[in-house]
Amino acid sequence: MLYNLLRACNNRYNRSRCTGCAYTANCPHDCGKCLSYVHYPDRAPAPRKYDCKRMMDYYVCKYACKYASEMYYAFSSCRDIQRNRKLNILSFGCGPCTDLLAVEQLQQDGQYHCNQVEYLGIEIDTDIWNNVHTDIVTVAPSNYNIQFVEADACQYIDHLQRVEWRPDVIVLQYVFSDMYKHCNHAQVNHFVSDLAAYIESCPRNTYVICNDINLSVGYGGGREYFDKLLHKLTCQTQYCSCHFNNSNRPNHYEYGDEYPDNSLIFVIPQYLAQYEPYETCASAQMIIKKVN
């Protein structure tokens, strides 16, 4: 799935041009620069958001191999669901669905044994991801039931409480760092409280995977919210916190245990060189299992 998606995004990006960009006169006609403006607002000539389909193709080409690799490591730790015949995944801020791409590769590698995968991706703006999401549905195996919902995660979690469907694994992939940039602290804390209540309603052996920048919120990361979520839970849990050695920096924060290897699971195709993709994993993670 991943390599088919990368080819589609790369081909589309190279065929298109920056026309009608929402950034208007500030557009540098370089989606790499626009992404840096989103991630580092202090460098931007004006406020910048994820609001461009072409930029999302660039995003996939730059980050998908790294993010999917980080999720592959995380899902490898969720041993109690690896033999589920049906796997339900709830992904907040799903974006390019790198969690789903990781699961598909784990199935290819014989670590997961699902006859059916049901994936519910929550995304605040599905329009900008429409091309990518269409590609994902197209390249997915026939036994994958993929649904995307356009919603604010802070509000949609109330709806999730009222429906019968429950996930086997809940994924927050670079969600807290993004929330902190665009919401106030009280809103994020409210979401954490609501998410904890939702986890309480899930069956035993439900996993929660938090994967984000290995920095505190004051520096653009989201690790504090991992710990806030864990401490909000009143059910019995098992958890591990961990991080990868960050080969892109001279040093990094020690958050829990360090993975013995930070190598990518997915080999970066040579044609992606123009996007300067990251070549190693570098995130912080918390993996929580609800015991009862």
Side-chain angles (χ1 to χ4, degrees):
M1 282 181 69
L2 175 65
Y3 295 115
N4 288 332
L5 177 63
L6 288 171
R7 280 191 291 270
C9 290
N10 175 65
N11 290 340
R12 189 165 47 240
Y13 181 81
N14 287 324
R15 289 196 309 266
S16 60
R17 295 290 179 269
C18 283
T19 56
C21 178
Y23 212 34
T24 59
N26 292 304
C27 180
H29 302 285
D30 178 341
C31 288
K33 288 183 179 178
C34 270
L35 274 178
S36 71
Y37 293 157
V38 176
H39 298 157
Y40 305 100
D42 57 319
R43 304 177 187 175
R48 187 70 172 113
K49 300 188 299 181
Y50 294 128
D51 56 10
C52 168
K53 290 182 179 180
R54 188 169 190 258
M55 183 166 60
M56 297 302 93
D57 285 327
Y58 190 104
Y59 182 105
V60 171
C61 292
K62 185 175 182 66
Y63 292 109
C65 288
K66 175 181 182 289
Y67 290 178
S69 294
E70 291 169 355
M71 295 309 299
Y72 186 103
Y73 283 103
F75 271 95
S76 294
S77 301
C78 302
R79 303 195 181 279
D80 289 291
I81 58 173
Q82 289 177 356
R83 295 198 172 273
N84 282 22
R85 307 317 293 172
K86 181 184 178 187
L87 184 66
N88 292 346
I89 302 171
L90 170 61
S91 184
F92 287 104
C94 61
C97 309
T98 48
D99 46 3
L100 185 63
L101 304 177
V103 166
E104 192 266 345
Q105 187 60 50
L106 283 158
Q107 286 191 274
Q108 295 285 337
D109 294 345
Q111 288 196 48
Y112 273 67
H113 304 273
C114 318
N115 291 330
Q116 184 180 356
V117 174
E118 193 161 307
Y119 183 87
L120 178 59
I122 313 303
E123 181 57 55
I124 197 166
D125 188 347
T126 55
D127 182 61
I128 60 164
W129 289 104
N130 180 256
N131 291 335
V132 175
H133 288 172
T134 299
D135 292 335
I136 288 168
V137 172
T138 300
V139 303
S142 60
N143 62 335
Y144 279 40
N145 179 18
I146 302 171
Q147 180 183 359
F148 299 109
V149 174
E150 181 171 282
D152 184 327
C154 298
Q155 299 171 6
Y156 194 73
I157 199 161
D158 291 334
H159 167 77
L160 290 171
Q161 279 281 27
R162 297 192 298 271
V163 299
E164 185 178 345
W165 184 88
R166 288 294 184 269
D168 299 298
V169 58
I170 300 167
V171 179
L172 298 107
Q173 167 87 313
Y174 290 91
V175 168
F176 287 127
S177 57
D178 192 60
M179 274 189 170
Y180 188 75
K181 288 188 183 81
H182 300 106
C183 304
N184 62 49
H185 188 58
Q187 288 174 309
V188 185
N189 279 332
H190 185 68
F191 171 73
V192 169
S193 296
D194 286 350
L195 178 58
Y198 179 69
I199 295 167
E200 301 276 0
S201 73
C202 292
R204 64 187 298 272
N205 290 337
T206 297
Y207 282 88
V208 183
I209 298 174
C210 302
N211 186 64
D212 215 315
I213 304 164
N214 186 13
L215 292 170
S216 63
V217 293
Y219 294 94
R223 293 174 322 196
E224 288 93 332
Y225 291 114
F226 299 1
D227 300 298
K228 284 179 181 288
L229 175 60
L230 178 66
H231 294 146
K232 285 280 185 183
L233 293 170
T234 59
C235 58
Q236 186 178 351
T237 62
Q238 295 174 353
Y239 77 96
C240 66
S241 51
C242 46
H243 69 277
F244 295 93
N245 175 39
N246 192 337
S247 300
N248 304 303
R249 298 174 180 269
N251 50 53
H252 61 263
Y253 289 97
E254 302 297 323
Y255 183 75
D257 297 325
E258 182 170 297
Y259 276 105
D261 190 1
N262 69 351
S263 301
L264 298 186
I265 300 297
F266 299 92
V267 178
I268 300 171
Q270 290 186 349
Y271 64 80
L272 295 183
Q274 64 172 312
Y275 306 98
E276 299 181 331
Y278 288 97
E279 298 180 347
T280 54
C281 300
S283 63
Q285 295 180 348
M286 178 175 282
I287 301 167
I288 305 168
K289 184 180 82 168
K290 182 182 177 186
V291 176
N292 59 29

